[in-house]
Amino acid sequence: MDHEPDRRAFLGAAAAVAGGLTLAPESAMGQPKGANAGAYALPADLSAHNALSLVLGRAGDKSVTANLVAADRLEAFIEYGTEAGKYALKTPPTALAPGQPVEVAIPDLRPGTRYFYRLNFRRPGDAAFNARAECQFHTQRKPGDTFTFCVQGDSHPERPQMSEPNLYARTLQRAAADRPDLYFCMGDDFSVNKVRAVNAESLTAPYLLQRPFLSLVAQFASLYLVNGNHEQASLFNFNQKGELHDVAVGVQTARNKLFPMPAAEGIYTGDARAFRGIGLLRDYFAWTWGDALFVVLDNYWHSPAQVDTGFPGGAGKREDKPKNRDWWDITLGDDQYRWFKRTLEGSKAKFKFVFAHHVLGSGRGGVEMSEFCEWGGKPRGKGAGGDFKTKRPGWELPVHQLMAKHGVGVFFQGHDHLYARQERDGVVYQEVPLPADHLYATHNEDAYTSGTKRANSGYLRVTVSPDEAQVEYVRCWLPKDETATQKTGDIAHSYTVKARS
Ligand SMILES: [Fe+2]
Ligand SMILES: [Fe+2]
């Protein structure tokens, strides 16, 4: 237990993250210290989001949560109503301290209703409030309603070779213009790979960096984060002593303070187990929205074995994947599997959409990987043995077969950094493209041996109507790369998923 004093000291710092994390001055906002220092910021015309950003989450039938972060001391309130330009209701004024995220509940809403709102703020001593432009959100849709949700793949701001901030902002603004009710990030959005000194500030920096970017769309849409391997938010790290444990606690604490993820409450079910030093993980959750069931799975918080890359640490090493691993060791865990099975069995929704960072949380490919171990039942790797019944006692079916049995329409994943659409047993495996790859690559395409593949960048727009869901890959380009035949907003690929009867 000789690591305990250090851990206590760190957890004290983590509590400081929770209660009063400190941001840089407004002029430097969007360029937090630590990971990605100085390089990755919004274009100047969007810098208001550095000074004050709003992210919506946990949209329900009668409430939504707005998470506010300001660079300076401010007072803010939200006025809202059901008609554009008319705001009959408002939240009480909220005092914002520099860098301290505050959740503002917007209660007493009507189900199945679009609301229009404005964020108002003033500096201490100012008489008048400044009003932001009008935004909107929607409460839980009723069956039969047509609505849109959007999905982005790995944004990887720490990798200049596949992530350009101006293109990222452009993609987010293009998605916001669709006015989606819901917005999903597939993971690898908050990498701590470049963190060398582990402390609250360095682990929070990737989350602060994303705030002004994601607020571009999440001021209009309830945001849902999927955990990726580069977040290093994992049970394997949590179960280690010292630095790795501190990383797991620190990043999950920052994530839940800066982004309002659901727990098992209201219209949501999900992970009910609290972790020491963190509380509820808010990592896997499910809910119904209109005619669709949405399920977000977590590949990393329930596997005692290391799933993918490790935390590089102070020397920048230890990033390797585990050597000679037994793929049966990688797991969603009994609790998450049972909850997933219950969720699918209990849903009569016409559409079922499932999200995870990747099949088995590691490897490359979609349907190719879906055949193995707890996802598909076959052993993987040279000399690997074992069968599903003995490796997963009490599990009715492997994950893929469970999804096929219960009519999952689309399984969304990230991690492979391209657009790829495949199908197996009626389940679409949809690899989601990068939002900000300014080299417009088609990474890992060799791993996909079937289906339709397209190059980056852009996002997915899914329009759910009573009879079918239309999935569209919306391309996004930097202005300098647009031509007569390639423009932001072009549809690179499209298909429909029929409603289950
Ligand atoms: Fe990635
Ligand atoms: Fe990944």
Side-chain angles (χ1 to χ4, degrees):
M1 298 297 280
D2 56 359
H3 65 283
E4 276 301 317
D6 285 339
R7 185 189 300 177
R8 275 197 300 275
F10 175 75
L11 292 178
V17 173
L21 62 89
T22 302
L23 299 190
E26 185 171 352
S27 59
M29 284 290 298
Q31 304 176 32
K33 290 184 214 168
N36 323 313
Y40 206 94
L42 281 176
D45 63 326
L46 296 172
S47 63
H49 293 268
N50 295 332
L52 175 61
S53 66
L54 182 152
V55 166
L56 297 169
R58 296 201 285 266
D61 54 348
K62 295 172 188 158
S63 68
V64 65
T65 298
N67 185 299
L68 304 179
V69 176
D72 289 322
R73 197 163 289 282
L74 293 177
E75 186 182 12
F77 70 91
I78 294 165
E79 52 184 345
Y80 57 102
T82 55
E83 280 182 67
K86 293 184 179 175
Y87 313 109
L89 302 162
K90 62 182 178 182
T91 64
T94 300
L96 300 173
Q100 292 188 29
V102 173
E103 289 189 351
V104 176
I106 307 178
D108 304 322
L109 304 175
R110 295 209 298 261
T113 304
R114 182 173 300 283
Y115 281 85
F116 301 85
Y117 79 93
R118 279 197 320 195
L119 174 61
N120 293 267
F121 65 95
R122 69 179 175 189
R123 294 176 188 282
D126 285 358
F129 280 88
N130 305 288
R132 283 272 171 89
E134 183 178 83
C135 295
Q136 9 179 312
F137 61 81
H138 210 288
T139 53
Q140 184 187 32
R141 294 276 181 174
K142 295 170 182 164
D145 266 10
T146 295
F147 68 93
T148 298
F149 69 92
C150 295
V151 191
Q152 75 169 43
D154 310 24
S155 54
H156 276 297
E158 83 286 5
R159 291 183 178 175
Q161 71 274 28
M162 59 173 68
S163 192
E164 204 283 333
N166 295 295
L167 181 55
Y168 190 25
R170 204 166 157 79
T171 300
L172 290 160
Q173 286 188 294
R174 177 53 255 183
D178 293 333
R179 296 292 184 264
D181 289 0
L182 318 170
Y183 192 78
F184 295 82
C185 297
M186 295 307 307
D188 288 359
D189 301 298
F190 308 93
S191 173
V192 289
N193 271 34
K194 292 189 174 173
V195 168
R196 294 294 171 263
V198 170
N199 54 57
E201 186 182 23
S202 66
L203 298 178
T204 304
Y207 294 86
L208 283 175
L209 181 147
Q210 284 275 5
R211 270 294 301 222
F213 284 91
L214 287 174
S215 73
L216 297 175
V217 66
Q219 62 182 342
F220 292 101
S222 190
L223 180 70
Y224 302 90
L225 302 178
V226 178
N227 192 14
N229 52 303
H230 288 285
E231 274 77 348
Q232 296 294 340
S234 71
L235 181 61
F236 174 81
N237 284 343
F238 184 85
N239 284 345
Q240 310 308 306
K241 293 183 175 180
E243 186 180 71
L244 291 181
H245 174 86
D246 297 344
V247 167
V249 172
V251 296
Q252 197 66 22
T253 301
R255 183 180 185 88
N256 288 343
K257 284 294 167 190
L258 282 153
F259 294 93
M261 292 299 105
E265 58 188 339
I267 69 168
Y268 297 90
T269 67
D271 193 352
R273 182 181 156 197
F275 275 59
R276 185 168 50 89
I278 299 171
L280 293 173
L281 292 177
R282 303 176 183 276
D283 62 326
Y284 65 78
F285 33 82
W287 69 105
T288 301
W289 195 267
D291 286 315
L293 171 73
F294 291 88
V295 183
V296 170
L297 300 176
D298 187 312
N299 291 121
Y300 307 101
W301 263 116
H302 306 277
S303 180
Q306 185 178 324
V307 176
D308 197 87
T309 43
F311 178 65
K317 294 178 180 169
R318 285 212 320 270
E319 199 188 333
D320 291 344
K321 295 178 181 66
K323 297 277 190 298
N324 302 317
R325 59 182 157 176
D326 182 342
W327 285 77
W328 285 111
D329 289 345
I330 294 173
T331 185
L332 296 174
D334 287 344
D335 288 351
Q336 185 172 197
Y337 178 85
R338 277 196 292 268
W339 164 85
F340 184 39
K341 178 171 175 285
R342 223 168 37 240
T343 300
L344 292 178
E345 285 172 350
S347 173
K348 293 187 168 56
K350 289 181 174 179
F351 303 94
K352 294 178 180 175
F353 301 117
V354 177
F355 303 74
H357 187 56
H358 202 254
V359 174
L360 290 172
S362 189
R364 294 289 176 210
V367 299
E368 294 80 2
M369 284 294 295
S370 75
E371 300 202 356
F372 298 118
C373 296
E374 75 174 27
W375 207 276
K378 291 184 188 169
R380 175 177 166 81
K382 205 173 180 182
D387 67 278
F388 181 74
K389 283 276 178 258
T390 53
K391 289 292 186 180
R392 292 295 182 274
W395 289 34
E396 180 200 348
L397 289 168
V399 174
H400 170 79
Q401 285 85 336
L402 190 74
M403 292 200 295
K405 176 181 177 180
H406 294 292
V408 169
V410 186
F411 170 72
F412 295 91
Q413 68 169 14
H415 190 64
D416 290 333
H417 307 163
L418 75 161
Y419 175 95
R421 187 262 188 209
Q422 302 175 298
E423 195 168 331
R424 182 180 169 213
D425 302 330
V427 181
V428 171
Y429 278 72
Q430 177 64 65
E431 168 69 27
V432 184
L434 300 184
D437 178 4
H438 56 304
L439 300 179
Y440 312 106
T442 317
H443 300 278
N444 299 306
E445 60 179 318
D446 291 347
Y448 287 78
T449 56
S450 66
T452 303
K453 295 176 267 190
R454 294 284 185 272
N456 296 320
S457 291
Y459 66 96
L460 302 186
R461 174 172 61 214
V462 184
T463 307
V464 181
S465 57
D467 297 327
E468 63 180 28
Q470 183 177 29
V471 182
E472 295 170 292
Y473 174 18
V474 183
R475 289 298 302 268
C476 296
W477 306 87
L478 283 168
K480 73 177 178 63
D481 298 321
E482 291 192 317
T483 67
T485 56
Q486 57 184 44
K487 285 196 164 50
T488 294
D490 288 350
I491 306 302
H493 189 234
S494 170
Y495 61 92
T496 56
V497 178
K498 297 291 176 204
R500 301 168 68 241
S501 51

